[in-house]
Structures are given as C-alpha cells and as structure tokens.
C-alpha cells in the first residue's frame, strides 16, 4: 500500500508587518518580507544581492541568487518550504512506495512553457535523465547520488526510482527545475549559454549581464491564475560591496538588499534615518558555527571529559553578543530552525560553567598537551575567544589561521586537533550534515557511535517527516551529550533590508530566499 501525500496548494504570498529599520529590527523565522517606497505601485523592482551567479543552467546552481532566479523562470515538481515540508507546484500530488524507493508524481494539467510547449511527463523524464547522465551537475552531486531511473507512466504521471531510500528526496525534487524537452532537444545546453531560457515559471528571462544583473519580465499568463504581480519587471543586481548596496537603497536605486549571509551588524548604522522607507528584518537561521574535535585515540579529545570541559569553558552568549553582534546560543547541532530540534534538551557540555569544566579537566588524563584550533581568518576572533576561555581552566590551546584550501585538506585527512567552520543545514534539514560530517566521518574525527549512526540512518531513509524529526532529535541529543564529534558555538541570524510596500519576498531559515511571488501593496507604505 502506498502512503499518499494529500496536498493542497499553499498560499503563495503572506505579508507580515514588521518594525521599521534604523532602530529595532523585526524578527521572522523563515517568514515573508514587506517593504517599498511610498506612492502608487511601481512597474519595476530592483533587488541588490551580494554574489554573482555563475551559470544559467537550472540543474547546476551553487549559489543562493542563482537558485532564486531559476525558481522564477522554471518550475520544479514541488515547492520547497525550506522547513522540511513541501507544497505542490508542477505536481498536484505524489505518493511514495512502501519500500521508499519509488516516488510517483501526478502533474498539473494545462501548464505550458514560455514557448507554448505543453509541460508534461516527457519534460520530467528529460530533466531527470539528465541528472542521471550528468552526475557532475550540482543538483546531481548534492541530491541525486541514489537516482536510478525516471519513467513516464502517462502524459501526467511519472515515476522516479531510487537505489536506496532517501528521506531528503523531496529536497532534491524541489531543486530540480524542469526543462522543456522539445526546447532541450532543439537547443541543448545552448538553451542556457545563449540565454534562451524557456521555462514554465511566472517570469520570463530577458538578460543576464555577468557580474552586473539579471533582468526578468512578468509573463502574460501563468498556470496559477490566482497570482499576478504589480511589477512587470524585476532586476536582480550583483553588488559585492555592502556600502554600495546600502547607498543604492537609501538613494532609491535599490528596493531591497539581500546579501547571502545577511547585513553585517557594523553596517546597520547606515540605515539610521530611513525608518519611514525601509525595514530591517532579522531571520533566525539554521546555520551554525561549530567546533569540531579530533577524537582519535592519540588525541586529548578522545576523552569525553576533556571534550565536555573544553565545551563548558566557552561563554557562548558573550561570543554571540560581542563578536557576532547577534545570534542565538545553541543547545545542540540541530537548532530552533531545523528538524531534530528539542527545546527541552539539556546537555551538560553546553552549560557555561568554568568551575565544573575545570573539575572535569582535572579528573581527566589531560597533561597539558598543546591543542591548535584551526580556522580561516574569518573565524579568528571567535577562535581566539574560545582558546582564551579554554586556557583559563587549564588547557594549553592556541589558534592556527590557515587558508580555506588548507583547512579543507586537514579536515579531509584528520590532521588537526580542533577546527571552527560554518555549516548551513540546507532546507533546515540535517540530512546532509549528519550523513557527511557524522555518520560517514568525512572529517576523520575518529568518533564512532553505532547508536547515533542508527538514528541518523533512520532519519535519512524514512519518507515520514515525523519519523525523521524524532530520529534526528535522538541523534542530536547523543551528539550534545557526548560533545562529539563537534559542538555548536552559535546559531546565526541574517539581517535583510526591504522597502515598505513589497510583499512576497520569502526569507528562509536555511539562508535561501525566494522572489518568485514578489508583489507590491501600497497600503503597507509608511506615511
């Protein structure tokens, strides 16, 4: 018997009234932003972003702005809500076989691409066959190592079969934008390299000027007749300098500033005096800064008491307040914006208690061995603070600043004592993080816990959201209690700036954002 997902079309936009910028900031957990300048509905909206896109291939996107553009021009089978749940898009409904290997998607009837080509199962087969044939594509590499086949059942039904059950399968489906088969057969990759860009999304692609902007126009018709935008044009401008982007917004040339990692707190003062036109929106993210331990037998961190002592010596609240300039103090790897979070979790190792930490260290076998905390220059201040806290209770630690490539190399070989990096829980789903960094021990920490691995495996293979959530809760609890193979230092926040009047910008907790249903409501403009 198949487990059916009964789906209804989600509301595409939801405006949330938030406090103005320049003073306090509003907070949203993967919410929808509002903003724009006063007056009648404008015809064009301009969004400044902090990084350039590198390709127009919808299956080879590796940056947030690129994914946002693809979501406007193309449709995926499902809408990724970036919280572990999914809504219908090209597929009105879907089922999963009992063995978790076959997903059957029932397509929406009457959808056409921008060239008038009907969108049906042939387009899905063409798209997913390309994922099978080209494993080097970003979408293939990130989500589809277990994709076995795609089969047309009829014009509006398609089966996607996996080699092994994958609990995060729908996350991959939400990032596999459908390429019209007739257009692909005619143009091949020229569809993207020559900027032809035929898709079924609500926006028509006009132009990409590398390093400068993407220009889109609203299509005359879209398969969802209940949605249209007041805007006829969208410009997404690539502005790498934060001060330039903010100046553009304050001068009226830019309507929103959406840097990938948020606006740096030390830049927020530039918005003072703009409270009547724009708002700063704080988004609690599922992204974390974490400290990884080498737990191999010859490392001090093989001893759980040493790991706990090191972790308990760290004043995370001070790091969040005085170094990061904002964020949340974590109680585990899975946090308030991700699956697996348990707000009742209490783990000794996450308690800031220098005296208890010193007692644990004194009772351990640690004999003053030097410990190097490796990180890039971006984490220098955090690492110095962590080292100082640890040394205050008796550790002999120091900070080693290395290049990104060097840090990747030492993690790939296990040639480190400890390291600090950032990790984004994509889709607010810990699947990739726990699989790669814990279960597979890609960073050669040497920590092995079979009970932990069993919970991760359960969460990774089930297609039931509640089952996955509970499995990841149990895994998170073990990681927190064992302080291995890593401990979280901070849960990050992103701050974005959007002019009043704009609706439909979705800011997700995993660091992604979406402009597909951007619109304008003059009643939200500050008077």
């Amino acid at each position: 018997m198949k487990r059916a997902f009964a789906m209804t079309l989600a509301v595409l936009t939801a405006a949330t009234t938030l406090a103005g910028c320049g003073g306090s900031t509003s907070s949203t957990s993967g919410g929808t932003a509002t903003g724009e300048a006063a007056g009648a509905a404008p015809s064009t909206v301009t969004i400044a972003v902090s990084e350039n896109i590198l390709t127009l291939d919808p299956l080879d996107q590796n940056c947030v702005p690129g994914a946002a553009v693809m979501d406007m021009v193309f449709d995926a089978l499902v809408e990724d809500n970036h919280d572990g749940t999914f809504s219908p898009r090209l597929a009105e409904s879907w089922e999963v076989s009992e063995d978790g290997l076959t997903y059957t998607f029932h397509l929406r009837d009457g959808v056409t691409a921008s060239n008038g080509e009907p969108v049906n199962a042939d387009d899905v087969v063409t798209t997913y066959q390309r994922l099978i044939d080209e494993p080097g594509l970003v979408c293939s590499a990130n989500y589809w190592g277990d994709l076995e086949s795609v089969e047309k059942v009829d014009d509006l039904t398609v089966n996607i079969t996996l080699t092994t059950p994958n609990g995060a399968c729908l996350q991959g489906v939400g990032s596999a934008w459908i390429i019209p088969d007739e257009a692909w057969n005619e143009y091949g990759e020229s569809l993207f390299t020559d900027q032809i860009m035929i898709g079924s999304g609500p926006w028509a692609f006009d132009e990409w000027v590398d390093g400068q902007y993407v220009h889109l126009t609203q299509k005359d018709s879209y398969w969802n007749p209940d949605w249209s935008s007041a805007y006829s044009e969208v410009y997404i401008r690539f502005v790498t300098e934060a001060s330039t982007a903010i100046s553009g917004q304050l001068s009226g040339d830019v309507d929103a500033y959406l840097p990938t990692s948020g606006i740096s707190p030390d830049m927020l003062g530039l918005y003072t005096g703009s409270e009547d036109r724009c708002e700063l929106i704080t988004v609690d993210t599922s992204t974390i800064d974490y400290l990884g331990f080498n737990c191999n037998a010859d490392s001090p961190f093989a001893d759980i008491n040493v790991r706990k002592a090191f972790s308990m010596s760290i004043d995370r609240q001070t790091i969040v307040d005085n170094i990061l300039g904002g964020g949340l103090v974590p109680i585990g790897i899975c946090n308030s914006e991700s699956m697996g979070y348990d707000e009742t979790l209490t783990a000794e190792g996450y308690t800031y208690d220098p005296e208890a930490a010193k007692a644990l260290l004194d009772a351990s076998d640690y004999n003053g061995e030097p410990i190097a905390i490796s990180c890039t220059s971006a984490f220098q201040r955090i690492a110095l603070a962590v080292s100082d806290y640890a040394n205050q209770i008796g550790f002999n630690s120091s900070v080693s600043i290395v290049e990104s490539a060097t840090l990747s190399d030492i993690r790939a070989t296990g040639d480190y004592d400890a390291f600090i990096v950032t990790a984004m829980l994509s889709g607010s789903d810990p699947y990739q993080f726990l699989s790669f960094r814990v279960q597979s021990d890609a960073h050669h920490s040497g920590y092995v816990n079979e009970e932990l691995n069993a919970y991760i495996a359960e969460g990774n293979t089930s297609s039931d959201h509640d089952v996955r959530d509970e499995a990841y809760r149990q895994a998170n609890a073990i990681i927190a209690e064992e302080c291995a193979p890593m401990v979280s230092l901070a849960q990050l926040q992103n701050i974005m700036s959007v002019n009043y009047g704009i609706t439909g910008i979705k800011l997700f907790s995993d660091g992604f954002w979406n402009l597909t249903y951007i619109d304008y409501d003059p009643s939200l403009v500050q008077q």
Side-chain angles (χ1 to χ4, degrees):
M1 179 178 179
K2 294 184 176 181
R3 297 186 294 275
F5 289 80
M7 297 290 177
T8 56
L9 184 63
V11 176
L12 296 179
T13 60
T16 303
T17 304
L18 302 170
C21 73
S24 61
T25 64
S26 308
S27 180
T28 177
S29 175
T32 302
T34 62
E36 227 288 321
S43 62
T44 301
V45 61
T46 300
I47 311 296
V49 302
S50 59
E51 58 180 324
N52 185 29
I53 64 176
L54 303 177
T55 176
L56 294 178
D57 190 333
L59 301 183
D60 205 28
Q61 294 301 316
N62 61 357
C63 67
V64 172
V69 171
M70 296 308 116
D71 221 36
M72 300 173 80
V73 177
F74 298 90
D75 282 312
L77 292 176
V78 302
E79 186 92 25
D80 187 348
N81 300 319
H82 293 263
D83 61 359
T85 66
F86 303 86
S87 302
R89 194 151 175 186
L90 280 183
E92 292 184 304
S93 63
W94 56 91
E95 305 97 39
V96 186
S97 61
E98 285 195 1
D99 61 7
L101 296 178
T102 300
Y103 287 67
T104 300
F105 293 92
H106 304 281
L107 307 184
R108 199 177 297 280
D109 195 9
V111 177
T112 57
S114 52
N115 64 347
E117 175 187 341
V119 176
N120 53 38
D122 293 326
D123 306 299
V124 179
V125 169
T126 293
T127 300
Y128 280 81
Q129 189 60 50
R130 185 170 177 234
L131 290 172
I132 295 171
D133 296 339
E134 299 184 50
L137 294 169
V138 169
C139 188
S140 301
N142 285 352
Y143 300 109
W144 293 115
D146 51 10
L147 180 58
E148 181 174 82
S149 65
V150 56
E151 174 192 12
K152 174 182 176 180
V153 178
D154 57 44
D155 280 349
L156 298 178
T157 310
V158 64
N159 288 335
I160 294 174
T161 301
L162 312 178
T163 57
T164 58
N166 182 342
C169 175
L170 290 180
Q171 194 176 79
V173 173
S175 298
W177 291 282
I178 302 302
I179 303 168
D181 71 306
E182 292 178 14
W184 174 256
N185 291 335
E186 180 177 356
Y187 298 105
E189 291 187 7
S190 296
L191 194 61
F192 320 125
T193 57
D194 293 350
Q195 301 194 20
I196 301 169
M197 299 294 285
I198 296 170
S200 61
W203 298 89
F205 183 91
D206 176 58
E207 182 182 28
W208 170 39
V209 178
D210 190 11
Q212 296 187 43
Y213 64 82
V214 165
H215 179 225
L216 308 172
T217 60
Q218 187 179 175
K219 288 164 60 174
D220 293 335
S221 62
Y222 183 49
W223 57 258
N224 180 8
D226 296 329
W227 182 85
S228 64
S229 177
Y231 297 113
S232 58
E233 299 179 279
V234 177
Y235 279 93
I236 300 173
R237 296 194 175 274
F238 313 121
V239 186
T240 56
E241 285 290 332
S243 58
T244 302
I246 294 171
S247 296
Q249 188 175 11
L250 297 178
S251 68
D253 294 330
V254 168
D255 302 300
Y257 178 36
L258 308 178
T260 298
S261 298
I263 301 170
S264 175
D266 60 8
M267 303 295 291
L268 298 179
L270 296 176
Y271 283 100
T272 301
S274 65
E275 293 87 350
D276 61 335
R277 290 196 300 108
C278 65
E279 58 181 341
L280 297 179
I281 305 164
T282 300
V283 181
D284 296 339
T285 78
S286 57
T287 300
I288 58 172
D289 286 345
Y290 78 85
L291 175 70
F293 293 125
N294 186 328
C295 303
N296 286 284
D298 58 349
S299 168
F301 294 119
D303 186 339
I304 186 174
N305 287 330
V306 175
R307 299 194 301 269
K308 282 188 175 181
F310 205 95
S311 183
M312 293 173 69
S313 74
I314 301 170
D315 185 349
R316 291 169 169 82
Q317 189 68 64
T318 296
I319 289 175
V320 164
D321 293 340
N322 297 340
I323 296 179
L324 295 176
L328 301 172
V329 174
I331 57 174
I333 296 300
C334 298
N335 55 54
S336 64
E337 303 307 312
S338 74
M339 293 175 64
Y341 176 66
D342 181 358
E343 63 181 2
T344 67
L345 178 65
T346 57
E348 182 183 28
Y350 276 79
T351 303
Y352 173 53
D353 190 337
E355 292 304 316
K358 188 176 188 305
L360 282 169
L361 188 61
D362 290 343
S364 75
D365 293 331
Y366 180 72
N367 291 312
E369 297 92 338
I371 293 171
I373 304 171
S374 300
C375 65
T376 64
S377 58
F379 295 92
Q380 182 172 357
R381 292 183 64 202
I382 296 176
L384 287 171
V386 168
S387 178
D388 184 56
Y389 287 134
N391 292 346
Q392 288 178 31
I393 70 162
F395 280 101
N396 176 20
S397 72
S398 61
V399 175
S400 174
I401 303 299
V402 299
E403 296 295 325
S404 295
T406 301
L407 187 61
S408 295
D409 288 342
I410 65 175
R411 286 190 293 158
T413 60
D415 186 21
Y416 60 85
D417 298 322
F419 63 83
I420 296 177
V421 293
T422 291
M424 174 191 290
L425 304 187
S426 182
S428 297
D429 189 326
Y431 170 87
Q432 289 184 338
F433 181 93
L434 294 178
S435 300
F436 182 73
R437 306 185 191 214
V438 180
Q439 186 183 40
S440 298
D441 195 21
H443 298 148
H444 298 275
S445 71
Y447 176 77
V448 178
N449 185 312
E450 296 303 337
E451 181 185 15
L452 169 61
N453 287 339
Y455 281 123
I456 295 173
E458 182 180 12
N460 289 353
T461 57
S462 176
S463 58
D464 186 307
H465 181 276
D466 292 339
V467 170
R468 299 185 70 224
D469 187 46
E470 180 58 29
Y472 290 145
R473 283 174 185 258
Q474 297 296 334
N476 185 47
I478 292 173
I479 294 171
E481 185 58 37
E482 291 283 306
C483 290
M486 72 279 290
V487 293
S488 182
L489 297 174
Q491 178 183 347
L492 306 186
Q493 293 176 320
N494 285 348
I495 300 176
M496 309 292 192
S497 181
V498 183
N499 287 357
Y500 284 104
I502 297 178
T503 64
I505 296 181
K506 297 182 179 181
L507 306 176
F508 298 116
S509 61
D510 63 354
F512 284 83
W513 38 262
N514 185 293
L515 305 177
T516 304
Y517 308 114
I518 193 168
D519 205 349
Y520 184 78
D521 183 351
S523 70
L524 299 175
V525 176
Q526 298 285 300
Q527 300 299 326

